[in-house]
PDB file of all heavy atoms in Angstrom:
ATOM      1  N   LEU A 481     130.182 141.137  63.751  1.00  0.00           N
ATOM      2  CA  LEU A 481     129.535 140.198  64.677  1.00  0.00           C
ATOM      3  C   LEU A 481     128.283 140.818  65.298  1.00  0.00           C
ATOM      4  O   LEU A 481     127.269 140.130  65.485  1.00  0.00           O
ATOM      5  CB  LEU A 481     130.518 139.792  65.776  1.00  0.00           C
ATOM      6  CG  LEU A 481     131.609 138.800  65.378  1.00  0.00           C
ATOM      7  CD1 LEU A 481     132.643 138.653  66.489  1.00  0.00           C
ATOM      8  CD2 LEU A 481     130.997 137.443  65.043  1.00  0.00           C
ATOM      9  N   ALA A 484     125.616 140.628  62.720  1.00  0.00           N
ATOM     10  CA  ALA A 484     125.192 139.240  62.528  1.00  0.00           C
ATOM     11  C   ALA A 484     124.348 138.755  63.705  1.00  0.00           C
ATOM     12  O   ALA A 484     123.348 138.049  63.515  1.00  0.00           O
ATOM     13  CB  ALA A 484     126.419 138.344  62.347  1.00  0.00           C
ATOM     14  N   LEU A 488     120.572 137.370  63.172  1.00  0.00           N
ATOM     15  CA  LEU A 488     120.278 135.976  63.530  1.00  0.00           C
ATOM     16  C   LEU A 488     119.343 135.895  64.733  1.00  0.00           C
ATOM     17  O   LEU A 488     118.522 134.972  64.816  1.00  0.00           O
ATOM     18  CB  LEU A 488     121.583 135.232  63.828  1.00  0.00           C
ATOM     19  CG  LEU A 488     122.496 134.991  62.617  1.00  0.00           C
ATOM     20  CD1 LEU A 488     123.777 134.298  63.044  1.00  0.00           C
ATOM     21  CD2 LEU A 488     121.768 134.150  61.565  1.00  0.00           C
ATOM     22  N   PRO A 496     122.242 133.654  68.787  1.00  0.00           N
ATOM     23  CA  PRO A 496     122.932 132.685  67.926  1.00  0.00           C
ATOM     24  C   PRO A 496     124.141 132.083  68.623  1.00  0.00           C
ATOM     25  O   PRO A 496     124.749 132.703  69.506  1.00  0.00           O
ATOM     26  CB  PRO A 496     123.359 133.533  66.723  1.00  0.00           C
ATOM     27  CG  PRO A 496     123.485 134.920  67.269  1.00  0.00           C
ATOM     28  CD  PRO A 496     122.428 135.046  68.336  1.00  0.00           C
ATOM     29  N   THR A 497     124.504 130.874  68.225  1.00  0.00           N
ATOM     30  CA  THR A 497     125.680 130.214  68.760  1.00  0.00           C
ATOM     31  C   THR A 497     126.914 130.651  67.982  1.00  0.00           C
ATOM     32  O   THR A 497     126.819 131.312  66.940  1.00  0.00           O
ATOM     33  CB  THR A 497     125.531 128.691  68.669  1.00  0.00           C
ATOM     34  OG1 THR A 497     125.451 128.316  67.278  1.00  0.00           O
ATOM     35  CG2 THR A 497     124.267 128.229  69.384  1.00  0.00           C
ATOM     36  N   VAL A 498     128.078 130.272  68.503  1.00  0.00           N
ATOM     37  CA  VAL A 498     129.332 130.607  67.829  1.00  0.00           C
ATOM     38  C   VAL A 498     129.369 129.967  66.441  1.00  0.00           C
ATOM     39  O   VAL A 498     129.784 130.592  65.462  1.00  0.00           O
ATOM     40  CB  VAL A 498     130.534 130.138  68.678  1.00  0.00           C
ATOM     41  CG1 VAL A 498     131.831 130.265  67.893  1.00  0.00           C
ATOM     42  CG2 VAL A 498     130.618 130.948  69.967  1.00  0.00           C
ATOM     43  N   ALA A 499     128.917 128.705  66.343  1.00  0.00           N
ATOM     44  CA  ALA A 499     128.930 128.018  65.051  1.00  0.00           C
ATOM     45  C   ALA A 499     128.010 128.711  64.046  1.00  0.00           C
ATOM     46  O   ALA A 499     128.349 128.839  62.861  1.00  0.00           O
ATOM     47  CB  ALA A 499     128.515 126.568  65.239  1.00  0.00           C
ATOM     48  N   GLU A 500     126.849 129.183  64.499  1.00  0.00           N
ATOM     49  CA  GLU A 500     125.914 129.858  63.601  1.00  0.00           C
ATOM     50  C   GLU A 500     126.476 131.201  63.137  1.00  0.00           C
ATOM     51  O   GLU A 500     126.319 131.585  61.974  1.00  0.00           O
ATOM     52  CB  GLU A 500     124.576 130.051  64.303  1.00  0.00           C
ATOM     53  CG  GLU A 500     123.826 128.741  64.512  1.00  0.00           C
ATOM     54  CD  GLU A 500     122.641 128.897  65.444  1.00  0.00           C
ATOM     55  OE1 GLU A 500     122.609 129.881  66.228  1.00  0.00           O
ATOM     56  OE2 GLU A 500     121.745 128.035  65.412  1.00  0.00           O
ATOM     57  N   LEU A 501     127.156 131.923  64.041  1.00  0.00           N
ATOM     58  CA  LEU A 501     127.786 133.182  63.647  1.00  0.00           C
ATOM     59  C   LEU A 501     128.905 132.933  62.644  1.00  0.00           C
ATOM     60  O   LEU A 501     129.060 133.686  61.665  1.00  0.00           O
ATOM     61  CB  LEU A 501     128.345 133.897  64.883  1.00  0.00           C
ATOM     62  CG  LEU A 501     127.317 134.519  65.839  1.00  0.00           C
ATOM     63  CD1 LEU A 501     127.993 134.967  67.117  1.00  0.00           C
ATOM     64  CD2 LEU A 501     126.610 135.691  65.173  1.00  0.00           C
ATOM     65  N   ALA A 502     129.685 131.872  62.873  1.00  0.00           N
ATOM     66  CA  ALA A 502     130.777 131.559  61.956  1.00  0.00           C
ATOM     67  C   ALA A 502     130.253 131.212  60.572  1.00  0.00           C
ATOM     68  O   ALA A 502     130.798 131.660  59.553  1.00  0.00           O
ATOM     69  CB  ALA A 502     131.604 130.406  62.521  1.00  0.00           C
ATOM     70  N   GLU A 503     129.174 130.442  60.522  1.00  0.00           N
ATOM     71  CA  GLU A 503     128.604 130.066  59.231  1.00  0.00           C
ATOM     72  C   GLU A 503     128.023 131.279  58.517  1.00  0.00           C
ATOM     73  O   GLU A 503     128.163 131.437  57.307  1.00  0.00           O
ATOM     74  CB  GLU A 503     127.527 129.000  59.440  1.00  0.00           C
ATOM     75  CG  GLU A 503     126.883 128.525  58.139  1.00  0.00           C
ATOM     76  CD  GLU A 503     125.805 127.486  58.386  1.00  0.00           C
ATOM     77  OE1 GLU A 503     125.577 127.150  59.577  1.00  0.00           O
ATOM     78  OE2 GLU A 503     125.194 127.022  57.409  1.00  0.00           O
ATOM     79  N   HIS A 504     127.371 132.167  59.276  1.00  0.00           N
ATOM     80  CA  HIS A 504     126.750 133.344  58.679  1.00  0.00           C
ATOM     81  C   HIS A 504     127.800 134.280  58.088  1.00  0.00           C
ATOM     82  O   HIS A 504     127.580 134.882  57.025  1.00  0.00           O
ATOM     83  CB  HIS A 504     125.933 134.079  59.738  1.00  0.00           C
ATOM     84  CG  HIS A 504     125.227 135.300  59.231  1.00  0.00           C
ATOM     85  ND1 HIS A 504     124.066 135.247  58.494  1.00  0.00           N
ATOM     86  CD2 HIS A 504     125.532 136.623  59.340  1.00  0.00           C
ATOM     87  CE1 HIS A 504     123.681 136.468  58.178  1.00  0.00           C
ATOM     88  NE2 HIS A 504     124.561 137.324  58.686  1.00  0.00           N
ATOM     89  N   LEU A 505     128.952 134.418  58.752  1.00  0.00           N
ATOM     90  CA  LEU A 505     129.992 135.342  58.300  1.00  0.00           C
ATOM     91  C   LEU A 505     131.067 134.653  57.471  1.00  0.00           C
ATOM     92  O   LEU A 505     132.018 135.319  57.038  1.00  0.00           O
ATOM     93  CB  LEU A 505     130.640 136.024  59.516  1.00  0.00           C
ATOM     94  CG  LEU A 505     129.731 136.932  60.354  1.00  0.00           C
ATOM     95  CD1 LEU A 505     130.460 137.417  61.592  1.00  0.00           C
ATOM     96  CD2 LEU A 505     129.235 138.104  59.531  1.00  0.00           C
ATOM     97  N   SER A 506     130.938 133.338  57.290  1.00  0.00           N
ATOM     98  CA  SER A 506     131.922 132.564  56.512  1.00  0.00           C
ATOM     99  C   SER A 506     133.323 132.690  57.109  1.00  0.00           C
ATOM    100  O   SER A 506     134.314 132.918  56.405  1.00  0.00           O
ATOM    101  CB  SER A 506     131.928 133.016  55.045  1.00  0.00           C
ATOM    102  OG  SER A 506     130.659 132.826  54.453  1.00  0.00           O
ATOM    103  N   ILE A 507     133.408 132.575  58.418  1.00  0.00           N
ATOM    104  CA  ILE A 507     134.695 132.581  59.119  1.00  0.00           C
ATOM    105  C   ILE A 507     134.738 131.384  60.044  1.00  0.00           C
ATOM    106  O   ILE A 507     133.745 130.655  60.189  1.00  0.00           O
ATOM    107  CB  ILE A 507     134.911 133.885  59.923  1.00  0.00           C
ATOM    108  CG1 ILE A 507     133.788 134.082  60.949  1.00  0.00           C
ATOM    109  CG2 ILE A 507     134.986 135.089  58.986  1.00  0.00           C
ATOM    110  CD1 ILE A 507     133.960 135.329  61.814  1.00  0.00           C
ATOM    111  N   THR A 508     135.859 131.156  60.676  1.00  0.00           N
ATOM    112  CA  THR A 508     136.008 130.007  61.562  1.00  0.00           C
ATOM    113  C   THR A 508     135.451 130.332  62.946  1.00  0.00           C
ATOM    114  O   THR A 508     135.403 131.507  63.342  1.00  0.00           O
ATOM    115  CB  THR A 508     137.485 129.618  61.695  1.00  0.00           C
ATOM    116  OG1 THR A 508     138.199 130.691  62.335  1.00  0.00           O
ATOM    117  CG2 THR A 508     138.100 129.350  60.324  1.00  0.00           C
ATOM    118  N   PRO A 509     135.038 129.301  63.703  1.00  0.00           N
ATOM    119  CA  PRO A 509     134.577 129.545  65.080  1.00  0.00           C
ATOM    120  C   PRO A 509     135.637 130.218  65.945  1.00  0.00           C
ATOM    121  O   PRO A 509     135.304 131.024  66.826  1.00  0.00           O
ATOM    122  CB  PRO A 509     134.237 128.140  65.587  1.00  0.00           C
ATOM    123  CG  PRO A 509     133.921 127.355  64.353  1.00  0.00           C
ATOM    124  CD  PRO A 509     134.831 127.896  63.292  1.00  0.00           C
ATOM    125  N   ASP A 510     136.912 129.897  65.712  1.00  0.00           N
ATOM    126  CA  ASP A 510     137.969 130.534  66.501  1.00  0.00           C
ATOM    127  C   ASP A 510     138.008 132.035  66.252  1.00  0.00           C
ATOM    128  O   ASP A 510     138.254 132.818  67.182  1.00  0.00           O
ATOM    129  CB  ASP A 510     139.331 129.923  66.146  1.00  0.00           C
ATOM    130  CG  ASP A 510     139.474 128.495  66.661  1.00  0.00           C
ATOM    131  OD1 ASP A 510     138.694 128.122  67.565  1.00  0.00           O
ATOM    132  OD2 ASP A 510     140.337 127.763  66.153  1.00  0.00           O
ATOM    133  N   GLU A 511     137.769 132.449  65.024  1.00  0.00           N
ATOM    134  CA  GLU A 511     137.739 133.876  64.723  1.00  0.00           C
ATOM    135  C   GLU A 511     136.557 134.555  65.390  1.00  0.00           C
ATOM    136  O   GLU A 511     136.647 135.709  65.837  1.00  0.00           O
ATOM    137  CB  GLU A 511     137.689 134.096  63.211  1.00  0.00           C
ATOM    138  CG  GLU A 511     138.983 133.747  62.492  1.00  0.00           C
ATOM    139  CD  GLU A 511     138.871 133.903  60.990  1.00  0.00           C
ATOM    140  OE1 GLU A 511     137.903 133.362  60.407  1.00  0.00           O
ATOM    141  OE2 GLU A 511     139.735 134.565  60.392  1.00  0.00           O
ATOM    142  N   VAL A 512     135.426 133.861  65.472  1.00  0.00           N
ATOM    143  CA  VAL A 512     134.259 134.412  66.160  1.00  0.00           C
ATOM    144  C   VAL A 512     134.580 134.623  67.637  1.00  0.00           C
ATOM    145  O   VAL A 512     134.286 135.679  68.214  1.00  0.00           O
ATOM    146  CB  VAL A 512     133.045 133.478  65.996  1.00  0.00           C
ATOM    147  CG1 VAL A 512     131.887 133.968  66.870  1.00  0.00           C
ATOM    148  CG2 VAL A 512     132.613 133.423  64.542  1.00  0.00           C
ATOM    149  N   VAL A 513     135.180 133.620  68.261  1.00  0.00           N
ATOM    150  CA  VAL A 513     135.541 133.737  69.675  1.00  0.00           C
ATOM    151  C   VAL A 513     136.525 134.885  69.885  1.00  0.00           C
ATOM    152  O   VAL A 513     136.414 135.660  70.843  1.00  0.00           O
ATOM    153  CB  VAL A 513     136.141 132.409  70.178  1.00  0.00           C
ATOM    154  CG1 VAL A 513     136.665 132.574  71.607  1.00  0.00           C
ATOM    155  CG2 VAL A 513     135.094 131.301  70.131  1.00  0.00           C
TER     156      VAL A 513
END
Side-chain angles (χ1 to χ4, degrees):
L481 285 171
L488 291 178
T497 64
V498 170
E500 290 169 340
L501 288 170
E503 181 181 0
H504 181 78
L505 296 174
S506 300
I507 58 178
T508 64
D510 289 342
E511 289 177 310
V512 173
V513 174

